[in-house]
C-alpha cells in the first residue's frame, strides 16, 4: 500500500509518498512560491534531488507537477497514479468539528470551511490542497489528519479556560494544542523502544522546534499540552511569545499604536527568543551568540529552558509521576545544552542525564540519554509526523 501525504501551506506544499509495507518514504519533496512568480519544485527520490523551476499559479498546478514527478521516467517511483492507494492531508486545527481522522467527503469539506478561522494561515491552505487533489485525482480516497486529534482526550479541567462556560460552549474557545501527530508518534516510539506497554507509562513529550509544545501523555493518551486555542501559547518559541498575561497585550497595543490584529502578528512573528535576544529565532545562532558573550542571547535560552522545565514539573504533578521524558524536533533532537538545562535540577523526580550520551551527535535514530541510575528515562526520538498521517490514512481508507 502506498500513501501520499500532503502538507499544504498558503504558498507551499510538502509531500511524501510512503510505502506502508516498509513505512519508508520512497519520494518526498515540496513546491514553493505557489501563486507567486518563480515557482519551484524540489523532489527527492532514488537518492537524488530533482529541481523543476516553473510558475505554479495554483495549488492544483502544484499537485499536478508533484504527480508528474512521481510517475516521471527518471525521477518517478511509481508507474501510474493508480499505485497511490490514498492521500492523507495534514490539517492544523480541527476545533470541535473533528475529533479524529476523517474521510474527505462533501460534509467534511463543509465543516472544513466552517473552521477556517481557527488557523487562518493553515486551514484555508489545507482546503486548497484537498481541492487540488480532488481535481487532479478524482475518486481517490483521502483523509483529513488533524494536528489537534491526539489532544482530544484532554479532560475538561485541562482543556477549558476559566472563561464564561456559556462562551466556551457558544464559541468553542478552549485549549486544542498542536503537533499532535508528533507527540503521538514519539510517545508510541518511546514505549516500543523501552519494550513497555504504553498504558503503564507517564511520558512528557517535548516537541522543541521553531514552534514548541510539551505534552503529558499518561497511559498512551494526552491529558494536557502546552499550546492553547492557537499555537501561540506555552513555552517561548522561535518568534512566538508563548504564555503572556493577555492584559499586557492590550497595554502593548496601546503603547505601540497597534491594533489587536497587529498585536497578534507581533506576538507571533517578532517575539519569542528572537524578540528577547534581538539576534535570531534559530537556536544555533543563539548558542553561537551566547558563546561570544551576548547576554540577551543567553537570557533568551535561559527563558526557553526554564519554561520547558516548568512544564516537565507541572506535567509530572498532573500525571502523578514521571517515567519518560522525550525530546524531539529540531531543537530537541540537536541541542544538548537545552536537554541538559531542562533536565538539570530534576533529580528529585528521579531524572538524571548522562552528559556523555547527551553530547552525542544526532544520527536520526533513538537514543537513551539517561544515566544508569536514572529512574526516569530520557530519550531523543526523531519525530515523523508524515508517517503518523500515512498510518492514520491507511487505517481509514
Ligand atoms: P524544526 O521546527 O523542528 O525544524 O526545528 C527548527 C529549529 O531547530 C531551528 O530553528 C534551530 O533552532 C534548531 N536546530 C538546532 N540544531 C539544529 C540542526 N542541527 N538541524 C536543524 N535544526 C536545528
Amino acid at each position: 500500500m502506498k500513501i501520499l501525504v500532503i502538507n499544504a501551506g498558503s504558498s507551499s506544499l510538502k509531500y511524501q509518498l510512503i510505502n506502508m509495507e516498509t513505512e519508508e518514504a520512497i519520494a518526498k519533496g515540496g513546491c514553493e512560491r505557489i501563486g507567486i512568480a518563480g515557482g519551484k519544485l524540489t523532489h527527492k527520490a532514488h537518492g537524488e534531488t530533482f529541481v523543476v523551476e516553473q510558475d505554479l499559479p495554483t495549488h492544483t498546478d502544484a499537485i499536478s507537477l508533484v504527480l508528474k514527478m512521481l510517475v516521471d521516467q527518471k525521477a518517478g517511483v511509481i508507474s501510474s497514479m493508480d499505485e497511490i492507494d490514498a492521500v492523507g492531508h495534514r490539517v492544523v486545527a480541527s476545533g470541535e468539528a473533528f475529533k479524529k481522522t476523517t474521510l474527505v467527503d462533501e460534509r467534511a469539506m463543509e465543516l472544513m470551511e466552517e473552521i477556517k478561522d481557527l488557523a487562518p494561515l493553515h486551514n484555508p491552505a489545507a482546503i486548497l490542497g484537498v481541492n487540488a487533489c480532488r481535481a487532479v485525482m478524482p475518486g481517490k480516497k483521502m483523509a483529513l489528519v488533524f494536528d489537534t486529534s491526539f489532544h482530544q482526550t484532554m479532560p475538561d479541567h485541562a482543556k477549558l479556560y476559566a472563561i464564561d462556560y456559556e462562551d466556551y460552549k457558544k464559541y468553542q474557545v478552549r485549549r486544542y494544542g498542536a503537533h499532535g501527530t508528533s507527540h503521538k508518534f514519539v510517545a508510541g516510539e518511546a514505549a516500543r523502544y523501552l519494550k513497555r506497554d504504553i498504558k503503564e507509562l507517564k511520558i512528557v513529550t517535548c516537541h522543541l522546534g521553531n514552534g514548541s509544545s510539551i505534552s503529558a501523555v499518561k497511559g498512551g493518551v494526552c491529558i494536557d499540552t502546552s499550546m492553547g486555542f492557537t499555537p501561540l501559547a506555552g513555552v517561548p518559541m522561535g518568534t512566538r511569545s508563548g504564555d503572556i498575561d493577555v492584559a499586557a497585550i492590550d497595554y502593548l497595543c496601546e503603547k505601540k499604536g497597534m491594533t489587536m490584529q497587529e498585536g497578534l502578528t507581533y506576538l507571533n512573528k517578532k517575539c519569542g527568543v528572537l524578540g528577547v535576544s534581538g539576534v535570531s529565532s534559530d537556536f544555533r545562532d543563539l548558542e553561537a551568540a551566547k558563546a561570544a558573550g551576548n547576554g540577551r542571547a543567553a537570557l533568551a535560552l535561559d527563558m526557553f529552558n526554564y519554561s520547558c522545565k516548568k512544564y516537565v514539573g507541572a506535567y509530572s504533578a498532573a500525571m502523578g509521576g514521571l517515567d519518560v521524558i522525550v525530546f524531539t524536533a529540531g531543537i530537541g533532537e540537536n541541542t544538548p545544552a537545552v536537554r541538559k538545562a531542562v533536565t538539570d535540577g530534576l533529580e528529585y523526580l528521579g531524572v538524571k542525564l548522562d552528559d556523555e550520551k547527551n553530547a552525542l551527535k544526532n544520527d536520526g535514530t533513538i537514543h537513551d540519554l539517561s544515566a544508569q541510575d536514572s529512574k526516569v528515562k530520557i530519550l531523543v526520538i526523531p519525530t515523523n509526523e508524515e508517517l503518523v498521517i500515512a498510518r492514520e490514512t491507511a487505517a481509514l481508507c
Side-chain angles (χ1 to χ4, degrees), residues 34-53:
I34 301 170
I36 313 167
K40 180 174 164 188
L41 172 140
T42 308
H43 175 89
K44 292 185 181 174
H46 313 298
E48 281 184 66
T49 301
F50 305 84
V51 176
V52 180
E53 292 189 1

Side-chain angles (χ1 to χ4, degrees), residues 127-149:
I127 295 175
L128 287 175
V130 173
N131 288 339
C133 285
R134 291 176 107 190
V136 180
M137 292 178 273
K140 190 74 75 189
K141 278 192 184 164
M142 298 194 203
L144 304 167
V145 185
F146 300 90
D147 278 10
T148 41
S149 294

Side-chain angles (χ1 to χ4, degrees), residues 60 94 131 202 211 228-229 270 309 312 342 356:
T60 307
S94 67
N131 288 339
K202 293 165 182 157
F229 181 64
K270 300 206 166 138
K309 189 204 293 274
V312 175
V342 172
E356 255 178 57

Side-chain angles (χ1 to χ4, degrees), residues 209-210 282-284 329-331 334-335:
N210 197 32
D282 192 299
F283 275 55
R284 290 163 286 195
I331 299 162
N334 295 296
T335 316

Side-chain angles (χ1 to χ4, degrees), residues 210-367:
N210 197 32
S212 295
S213 64
I214 300 182
S215 292
V217 183
K218 186 179 183 185
V221 298
C222 175
I223 64 151
D224 207 344
T225 194
S226 63
M227 280 181 167
F229 181 64
T230 73
L232 185 53
V235 301
M237 296 167 232
T239 61
R240 282 174 246 165
S241 64
D243 291 338
I244 179 170
D245 180 344
V246 287
I249 302 164
D250 181 53
Y251 186 80
L252 269 171
C253 283
E254 200 195 309
K255 292 289 175 198
K256 286 173 69 82
M258 299 186 291
T259 62
M260 184 50 121
Q261 206 50 49
E262 287 165 347
L264 286 173
T265 305
Y266 163 84
L267 289 173
N268 271 298
K269 302 243 153 104
K270 300 206 166 138
C271 292
V273 293
L274 169 68
V276 175
S277 69
V279 172
S280 172
S281 62
D282 192 299
F283 275 55
R284 290 163 286 195
D285 299 339
L286 293 176
E287 295 225 306
K290 178 183 169 180
N294 185 312
R296 274 173 56 186
L299 174 63
L301 290 166
D302 286 348
M303 287 170 67
F304 176 81
N305 296 334
Y306 176 68
S307 182
C308 292
K309 189 204 293 274
K310 280 208 295 188
Y311 272 101
V312 175
Y315 289 165
S316 303
M319 293 190 290
L322 179 64
D323 299 307
V324 189
I325 302 174
V326 179
F327 288 99
T328 192
I331 299 162
E333 292 170 33
N334 295 296
T335 316
V338 166
R339 298 191 295 252
K340 171 80 179 158
V342 172
T343 51
D344 214 24
L346 296 182
E347 290 80 8
Y348 73 97
L349 285 175
V351 176
K352 205 163 157 197
L353 189 76
D354 182 313
D355 288 332
E356 255 178 57
K357 292 181 192 161
N358 185 41
L360 288 177
K361 217 172 147 25
N362 176 21
D363 63 0
T365 65
I366 301 180
H367 285 282

